[in-house]
Amino acid sequence: MGFTMGLNLLLLLAMVATNILSLYHLSSNIQQPNNLNPSSNPTQNQVPDYLIHQLQTIRATINHLTRHHNHHPEQQHSKPTSMPSDLILYSQLSPIASSCHNNPELLFTYMNYTPFTLCPLGSDDVVEALILRGCHPLPRRRCFSKTPQKPSSSSLPHNPFPPKLLDEVVMWKKYSSCKSFDCLSKLNPNMGFDMNNEVSNFLSYKSELDLPVPQLLQIAKAANSVIRLGLDIGGGTGTFAARMKLHNITVLTTTLNVVAPYTEAVALRGLVPLHVPLQQRFPIFDGVVDIVRCGRAINRWIPSATLEFLLFDVDRVLRSGGYLWLDHFFSKSVDLDKVFAPLIGKLGYRKVKWATASKTDSSGLKNGEEDFIERITSVQDLKTCLFSL
């Protein structure tokens, strides 16, 4: 509170000083008689160098204070004193994302380490915080990340639906709520860590909103389309990718380790996790993916402009004739009609399936979502409409 008031006072004093100097210069010019002699010295009415220097200094101070004042409140209490040497070195070798520069305290903490030694404790928390703020890709570092002991070859399952996930291959110290997968499963069975529950997902209908993988493959076969490669956005512990793997289909799963080891869980199942945020461009080339599934991380809480960019990036990576699947997307019914349906319609895809239902869980009822969609299991046949025009 006091720090913010101090910044406001400095800004006010700087602006007042600028105005006083400007008035002084104008009044001094007015008091000088106009010299109409063309042979007179043309430089006599120019602004003095010392005055220009003072104005530039004050304006630079205003700009600096304004930038500092606009930072997040939590960033105003600690100001980095010096730039880490490896951050300076890396910035000379490769560009750093602009969002990283918008979070200098976190970036300095991330890059403040001793080269060729173990990375500092707590680095993972800083990594997640930076990625969530759009700082991606992160700068590379020259330190050793601490990893669990090497597991035996027999302990790593080839079956993507093992009886249980191994606790030994996770660094549990960085997670405060639980120290085992069993604990996470008991804390919330819907988090995806209970393999006994996950083994039945995507196999059969549990509601009209579901789309079992056998039906998905039948839809593709009937359309003479082939599904070989896929992307699962916000795929949790990778159950969709695991189910598709049993059909020799490779699916990459985007993950973030928010409060739980989702990335490690995906890898434990023999699947490929992509540790990337939703707001960044997918690290996939154009037109090479057969199907993109958007999990429950894609919902009404994402601003419509951000969602629009995300869907058009999905369109970029999908090949002609591919499929977009918005799985259990939820929103207010009025927003579905006025915001999200028109937004999705901009893609011009042909609807293969569109199912809606009321969202009746405690969250839906609390937020007035009884008419929302857990909805759109809408697999959309991509670009077919475009090619038929």
Side-chain angles (χ1 to χ4, degrees):
M1 180 83 176
F3 183 78
T4 303
M5 291 180 64
L7 277 178
N8 290 333
L9 181 59
L10 282 174
L11 284 169
L12 178 61
L13 290 175
M15 287 186 286
V16 169
T18 303
N19 291 332
I20 291 174
L21 283 172
S22 299
L23 288 171
Y24 165 76
H25 171 63
L26 290 173
S27 61
S28 62
N29 282 345
I30 292 173
Q31 293 171 4
Q32 292 177 359
N34 293 332
N35 192 340
L36 301 177
N37 185 356
S39 63
S40 62
N41 185 2
T43 63
Q44 69 179 20
N45 288 330
Q46 289 184 351
V47 182
D49 290 340
Y50 75 90
L51 187 57
I52 293 177
H53 178 71
Q54 290 175 354
L55 288 171
Q56 288 176 342
T57 301
I58 293 174
R59 286 168 182 164
T61 302
I62 292 174
N63 290 335
H64 173 75
L65 291 173
T66 302
R67 287 195 301 269
H68 189 79
H69 180 67
N70 288 336
H71 281 169
H72 296 292
E74 65 270 14
Q75 296 177 349
Q76 295 180 1
H77 298 288
S78 61
K79 182 180 179 180
T81 55
S82 61
M83 185 176 294
S85 58
D86 259 33
L87 178 58
I88 298 174
L89 175 61
Y90 185 84
S91 64
Q92 298 170 351
L93 304 174
S94 179
I96 298 176
S98 61
S99 293
C100 300
H101 295 293
N102 294 336
N103 298 275
E105 287 79 13
L106 286 172
L107 179 62
F108 283 24
T109 301
Y110 169 74
M111 293 298 292
N112 189 17
Y113 63 92
T114 303
F116 318 119
T117 62
L118 282 176
C119 297
L121 294 175
S123 289
D124 293 324
D125 294 334
V126 178
V127 166
E128 294 295 322
L130 281 169
I131 291 178
L132 285 171
R133 287 164 172 79
C135 178
H136 189 270
L138 289 172
R140 289 174 171 168
R141 297 192 294 183
R142 297 183 297 168
C143 60
F144 298 101
S145 296
K146 191 173 181 179
T147 58
Q149 294 184 354
K150 178 182 177 181
S152 63
S153 58
S154 59
S155 65
L156 292 176
H158 291 279
N159 179 7
F161 291 97
K164 64 176 297 184
L165 298 174
L166 297 177
D167 295 327
E168 294 76 14
V169 295
V170 177
M171 304 291 293
W172 290 101
K173 288 184 179 180
K174 54 190 175 184
Y175 302 109
S176 58
S177 58
C178 282
K179 305 300 180 184
S180 69
F181 286 115
D182 284 341
C183 172
L184 289 171
S185 299
K186 294 176 182 177
L187 186 67
N188 186 348
N190 295 321
M191 292 180 71
F193 296 103
D194 187 346
M195 293 296 102
N196 293 324
N197 288 341
E198 297 303 299
V199 72
S200 62
N201 287 341
F202 298 104
L203 270 183
S204 60
Y205 287 98
K206 297 178 181 178
S207 74
E208 68 271 26
L209 301 174
D210 294 323
L211 179 64
V213 165
Q215 186 195 5
L216 171 64
L217 299 179
Q218 185 60 39
I219 290 172
K221 183 178 179 180
N224 293 321
S225 184
V226 177
I227 297 180
R228 305 156 300 125
L229 300 173
L231 174 65
D232 191 10
I233 304 171
T237 59
T239 297
F240 175 66
R243 182 59 57 195
M244 298 294 274
K245 182 180 180 180
L246 299 181
H247 295 272
N248 294 321
I249 298 170
T250 301
V251 175
L252 305 179
T253 304
T254 71
T255 63
L256 281 175
N257 282 9
V258 180
V259 309
Y262 288 97
T263 304
E264 293 96 321
V266 173
L268 273 172
R269 303 174 75 175
L271 309 169
V272 181
L274 291 179
H275 196 213
V276 296
L278 294 177
Q279 64 267 43
Q280 294 297 317
R281 188 176 190 265
F282 300 122
I284 298 174
F285 193 67
D286 300 1
V288 296
V289 174
D290 303 310
I291 184 170
V292 174
R293 173 184 173 267
C294 296
R296 297 195 182 191
I298 310 300
N299 56 60
R300 73 183 183 95
W301 298 113
I302 299 178
S304 57
T306 303
L307 181 60
E308 188 171 72
F309 275 102
L310 185 148
L311 290 178
F312 273 86
D313 200 31
V314 168
D315 177 81
R316 177 185 63 81
V317 303
L318 275 167
R319 67 167 177 81
S320 299
Y323 292 91
L324 166 62
W325 180 6
L326 296 175
D327 190 4
H328 286 74
F329 181 100
F330 64 88
S331 78
K332 294 181 178 180
S333 57
V334 63
D335 289 338
L336 173 65
D337 298 330
K338 294 184 177 181
V339 179
F340 297 112
L343 190 154
I344 297 167
K346 292 179 181 180
L347 297 172
Y349 300 168
R350 179 174 65 86
K351 293 179 184 177
V352 175
K353 178 178 180 179
W354 181 280
T356 64
S358 298
K359 190 173 186 293
T360 57
D361 61 6
S362 58
S363 174
L365 295 175
K366 178 181 177 181
N367 295 290
E369 296 175 343
E370 61 272 13
D371 292 327
F372 297 10
I373 45 172
E374 252 217 355
R375 302 185 174 196
I376 313 180
T377 309
S378 67
V379 175
Q380 312 232 1
D381 192 357
L382 209 109
K383 299 183 181 176
T384 301
C385 180
L386 294 177
F387 286 110
S388 63
L389 293 175

